[in-house]
Amino acid sequence: MQTMPAHAAHHDDREIETLEEFDATVSARGTLAGYRVQAVDLTDRTRELLTTDTAGAVFLGCAMREDADGKVRADGALVFPPVPGLPFDPYRGLVYSPDELFASLADGYEATPDALAYAWFQRTKADRDIYASMLRSVHDDSVSDALDELLSGARVVGVMGGHAMARGTEEYAGAARLGRELARAGFTVATGGGPGAMEAANLGAYAAPFDDEMLTESLELLGKTPHFTPSITQWATAAFEVRTRRPQGGRSVGIPTWFYGHEPPNAFASHIAKYFANATREDGLLARSNAGVVFLPGAAGTVQEIFDNATPNYYESRGEPTPMVLVDRGHWTEKLPAWPLLRSLARGRSMEARIELVDRIEEAPEALKRLGG
């Protein structure tokens, strides 16, 4: 089974994102000139900062003592100090983990960093403050950078589908089996990171290293809290119970947005790239699904994703068209007839050989392999 590459090996060599990387760089290179240091607490590295050349370095959101701050500025470094009172770090060097976003869940979802960031977004987006919108943009750019580092070299399959699919249903179980099979086939599963079909696919990837019994048991446990309404706290707590019972699950990615902040992120994606801007998130999710996308039944959001994905395949603006598999003939030909339009668009173009409609979720992995050649 493919694991995602370790992050440190793949990022820009001039980026320092942890204290360990900072120490290693100072001792190996003896200089920080021209480096980018991202969201590392340097309050205990005053001696190193005072004795190391930092000309042309950029410190993004790094706490440091006053004398160190003065010295690196005198060297010609740029210092963007940490922003006080924010419920998130705009300069973060890594994507989120479920534990990070759901910290303090025991005190109720409202107390978590995820909920606090959403509340901040609600407050600031209304008043059109340039400062707040700049902080959101810097944050989203940092998250994109971290996501690229995380997925470097991975074969990513996107699984799209609606948030309405309830735990405890046969559809949810099917989406979980799909995620599990894709992960076992060596793909990195990426979803929109929310509830419903998205959670099911991330759960499946989490379940990939375990036996069938683990998934059956987990589906049963989760089925007792079918939806994230009325209580996100209970919904998320059930997911963490599954993770506590079976720790060290398989890795996958969730890419949610605070734009739909009333929908919580799911706790089964090991890595969560959460954005303020939904457009950045939508495009980022599809652009990174380099091994294809599976579209489960969904509503307007999923229809939008089908054509967001079809357009670069049509124009080949990202190179070779990537596989697109639509699941549930009735849904995509009668209820929301996206398939006939997609097929008409593809006719006579190279993407025609890369699209398929299947009846059942179980057929999707095989179709994906076929289309991917």
Side-chain angles (χ1 to χ4, degrees), residues 1-361:
M1 192 188 322
Q2 174 179 336
T3 53
M4 279 179 275
H7 113 100
H10 290 277
H11 68 61
D12 177 341
D13 285 341
R14 290 183 316 148
E15 281 181 26
I16 294 174
E17 295 165 347
T18 64
L19 208 48
E20 292 73 38
E21 285 179 20
F22 178 87
D23 291 340
T25 304
V26 170
S27 72
R29 305 275 169 89
T31 180
L32 290 166
Y35 275 83
R36 311 282 181 255
V37 191
Q38 237 177 305
V40 181
D41 185 343
L42 299 173
T43 41
D44 293 336
R45 294 295 183 274
T46 304
R47 189 173 55 82
E48 289 78 357
L49 290 169
L50 291 177
T51 56
T52 308
D53 181 17
T54 57
V58 179
F59 293 89
L60 298 164
C62 299
M64 58 179 86
R65 298 200 196 282
E66 210 173 315
D67 47 348
D69 182 288
K71 183 266 180 186
V72 302
R73 287 175 194 266
D75 275 354
L78 269 179
V79 179
F80 293 78
V83 182
L86 273 189
F88 61 94
D89 181 356
Y91 304 113
R92 57 180 303 116
L94 306 170
V95 296
Y96 293 94
S97 69
D99 292 326
E100 188 181 357
L101 285 175
F102 284 104
S104 310
L105 182 63
D107 301 326
Y109 172 70
E110 299 65 38
T112 64
D114 186 64
L116 295 171
Y118 178 51
W120 176 88
F121 183 34
Q122 293 293 91
R123 277 197 312 278
T124 58
K125 72 176 180 188
D127 60 18
R128 297 190 178 166
D129 176 10
I130 176 69
Y131 178 55
S133 65
M134 186 192 76
L135 291 172
R136 292 197 292 270
S137 299
V138 170
H139 168 276
D140 286 1
D141 203 55
S142 300
V143 167
S144 286
D145 181 58
L147 188 58
D148 283 337
E149 289 163 7
L150 178 76
L151 294 177
S152 172
R155 287 157 58 229
V156 182
V157 172
V159 178
M160 310 295 154
H163 62 261
M165 185 186 282
R167 293 167 171 179
T169 60
E170 192 36 57
E171 290 77 18
Y172 184 96
R177 287 192 295 269
L178 170 68
R180 185 175 67 171
E181 190 160 338
L182 291 171
R184 285 177 176 174
F187 296 110
T188 293
V189 173
T191 76
M198 298 172 275
E199 180 186 58
N202 287 129
L203 166 65
Y206 186 88
F210 302 106
D211 57 9
D212 286 358
E213 192 188 330
M214 177 271 178
L215 187 55
T216 308
E217 207 177 273
S218 303
L219 290 168
E220 197 175 310
L221 180 71
L222 294 169
K224 294 172 186 160
T225 319
H227 211 255
F228 64 91
T229 55
S231 167
I232 294 177
T233 306
Q234 284 172 10
W235 175 86
T237 301
F240 278 100
E241 191 179 327
V242 167
R243 291 187 37 188
T244 304
R245 284 186 185 189
R246 300 289 185 111
Q248 311 287 282
R251 291 148 64 99
S252 68
V253 178
I255 307 183
T257 172
W258 280 294
F259 183 77
Y260 299 130
H262 59 284
E263 277 182 30
N266 78 72
F268 293 111
S270 55
H271 297 81
I272 301 175
K274 192 155 189 176
Y275 289 92
F276 288 106
N278 187 44
T280 311
R281 165 253 191 173
E282 285 277 0
D283 190 59
L285 174 53
L286 293 165
R288 288 175 179 86
S289 297
N290 55 14
V293 182
V294 178
F295 297 92
L296 300 175
T302 313
V303 172
Q304 180 183 341
E305 285 161 345
I306 289 173
F307 293 102
D308 275 349
N309 198 39
T311 304
N313 282 342
Y314 180 89
Y315 290 113
E316 297 192 43
S317 56
R318 289 183 188 138
E320 281 271 299
T322 50
M324 297 177 68
V325 179
L326 277 61
V327 175
D328 191 334
R329 191 172 301 274
H331 188 86
W332 295 122
T333 60
E334 289 153 39
K335 193 173 176 191
L336 296 172
W339 173 252
L341 177 53
L342 180 64
R343 206 178 43 191
S344 304
L345 265 180
R347 196 162 293 134
R349 302 185 81 87
S350 59
M351 71 179 277
E352 188 169 19
R354 295 289 173 92
I355 63 169
E356 195 164 327
L357 174 65
V358 299
D359 275 319
R360 293 172 18 260
I361 280 180

